[in-house]
Amino acid sequence: MAALALCATTQVFAAEATPELQTETTLAQELNLSNAQMEQIKGLREQADKDLGAVKLDAIGQDVIVNMIKSGKWDEAAAKKQLQTISDVQAEARYYRAHYLFEVSQVLTPEQKAKLHEMLNGGEAMY
């Protein structure tokens, strides 16, 4: 179960990280970015990638829940702690994605900001 949680978190991490961190090409197309803006956003993306890469995933790798299943003994406190750890990692990743989007918005024209706002309100999972 913990392995599944780790796998799921890693997939969530990757899946959730990709909409706004995938490539500048997607934003460039959607927001009609200039070359100068694309260069600025590329630098912001590189920093966001570093920030996301620094998120500690090792605590998630613990086999707490798998061990409980194997032993047949449920440990309420350990399970809650493990699940909270997963939630904390996901929240940290969301923070970095949200910060990235804010930084991107700072290099946009008012029209591009309006389009980004539309994208965010349109249900696209951006952070």
Side-chain angles (χ1 to χ4, degrees), residues 62-126:
Q62 299 173 2
D63 289 332
V64 173
I65 296 177
V66 171
N67 290 338
M68 284 188 267
I69 292 170
K70 284 180 184 177
S71 71
K73 296 178 184 176
W74 181 256
D75 182 338
E76 188 77 17
K80 285 183 178 182
K81 182 179 178 188
Q82 182 68 39
L83 295 172
Q84 184 60 53
T85 299
I86 292 168
S87 293
D88 291 346
V89 167
Q90 290 173 330
E92 189 174 2
R94 283 189 176 109
Y95 168 82
Y96 287 126
R97 289 189 301 273
H99 185 257
Y100 168 77
L101 285 172
F102 173 80
E103 293 295 326
V104 166
S105 76
Q106 299 303 293
V107 302
L108 302 178
T109 65
E111 295 80 19
Q112 291 167 327
K113 281 184 185 182
K115 175 64 177 173
L116 180 63
H117 184 265
E118 186 181 301
M119 291 166 65
L120 292 170
N121 285 330
E124 294 184 35
M126 296 297 281

